Structure formats: C-alpha cells, structure tokens
Amino acid sequence: MDFKQIQELVKMVNKSNISELSIEQDKFKITIKQKDNETQQVIAVPTMAAPVQAVPQAVAAVQAPVSAPAAEAPKPAADVKADNLVTIKSPMIGTFYRSPGPDKPSFVNVGDEVSAGKVVCIIEAMKLFNEIESEVSGKIVKILVDDASPVEYDQPLYLVEP
C-alpha cells in the first residue's frame, strides 16, 4: 500500500461516520481511528519485514508538537483583506516545517512572491518528507501555522494575494 492510498483512506474515514478502519494486505496492516470528529490516529504496523515507510511511530510523529523558537514565529499581516486571498491548504496530516532543515532558511516568508509550483513548506508524515508546492502565483500575506506544528488534512497553511 503506497502513501497516496493511505491518504485517500484517511480522507474517506474523515468524511464518514466510521470510527475505526483496519486493513491487512500481505505483509502490511493499517488501522485508522477517528476520535472526537476531527482527531485522527494512523497506525501502520508491518506484519513481517516491510519498507521503512511503514513505521508504527506514525501517531507519535503526527501528534508530537515541537515548540518553535520565537524568532521563527509567523508574523501577522495587519492589513489582510480576506475577500481576494487564496488559501494554500495542507494536502495531508503530518508535521509542518517552513524550511528544509533546522539551520536552513524558510522556503517562504511574509511578503515573498511565489509562483505556481514553488515549494512553500514540507509536511512530514510517517517519516516521509513531502514538499508542498503552491498552486497559485502571488504574494504571501500571512503564515497560519507555526513551524514544527502538527497539521490536519485541508488545514489552511498560507494566505496568498494573487
């Protein structure tokens, strides 16, 4: 089972009234649990030797927020007008990172120009680092998530003025 299939399962469980879903295929078993309508746990357990992507610490990676230094906190935009802004949303659950590494500069900051296809952040899910690209061109006016914070599927990450 690949990562895209797992994402689709999480989406389907999120939109349904199912509280728990377990699937077992060959050497792989996955359990998706839903609590309190919005909190999800994804547990992937290999039944035998499996690839590194199927690690049972997925719940810990998704739910373990790390405090970000105050210097890296998003700066609010004072003159944000919501009527003409486009929102870049998280395509998955995981941990949000603004830069490719702890000692590297952020992909984008408030006031930066982005074009469609430019990487704006990384979301770590199940020990995989997924580059998230902008789908619109424009200027970043607000960063809505702190660095190293857990994010949910479809959670707003950035506001962009086209």
Side-chain angles (χ1 to χ4, degrees):
M1 181 172 278
D2 68 5
F3 186 71
K4 292 285 185 194
Q5 290 173 319
I6 294 171
Q7 277 184 290
E8 290 301 315
L9 286 173
V10 170
K11 288 178 194 176
M12 289 174 17
V13 169
N14 198 19
K15 292 179 181 178
S16 70
N17 290 331
I18 299 172
S19 62
E20 182 175 332
L21 173 69
S22 290
I23 297 177
E24 193 167 337
Q25 290 181 335
D26 299 324
K27 300 175 184 175
F28 183 79
K29 179 180 179 183
I30 184 167
T31 301
I32 303 171
K33 296 180 182 179
Q34 184 170 342
K35 291 183 182 178
D36 300 330
N37 295 337
E38 291 189 24
T39 305
Q40 294 182 351
Q41 294 182 346
V42 178
I43 303 170
V45 182
T47 55
M48 290 183 63
V52 175
Q53 291 90 345
V55 178
Q57 285 88 2
V59 173
V62 172
Q63 295 179 345
V66 179
S67 299
E72 294 184 69
K75 295 169 183 65
D79 57 346
V80 174
K81 296 178 184 169
D83 57 348
N84 64 338
L85 300 179
V86 177
T87 304
I88 298 175
K89 296 180 179 180
S90 176
M92 65 187 71
I93 60 172
T95 304
F96 170 86
Y97 295 104
R98 292 184 57 201
S99 63
D103 56 343
K104 306 278 186 193
S106 297
F107 288 108
V108 293
N109 292 304
V110 173
D112 288 355
E113 293 289 328
V114 294
S115 57
K118 180 180 180 185
V119 176
V120 294
C121 65
I122 291 177
I123 296 182
E124 177 190 4
M126 296 178 64
K127 303 291 182 189
L128 295 176
F129 292 87
N130 303 282
E131 292 183 341
I132 308 304
E133 298 176 350
S134 175
E135 295 179 0
V136 297
S137 296
K139 182 172 86 171
I140 301 287
V141 294
K142 190 167 186 181
I143 301 171
L144 304 170
V145 180
D146 291 326
D147 192 38
S149 297
V151 293
E152 295 291 328
Y153 169 74
D154 218 24
Q155 178 177 341
L157 304 174
Y158 295 95
L159 292 180
V160 179
E161 183 175 27

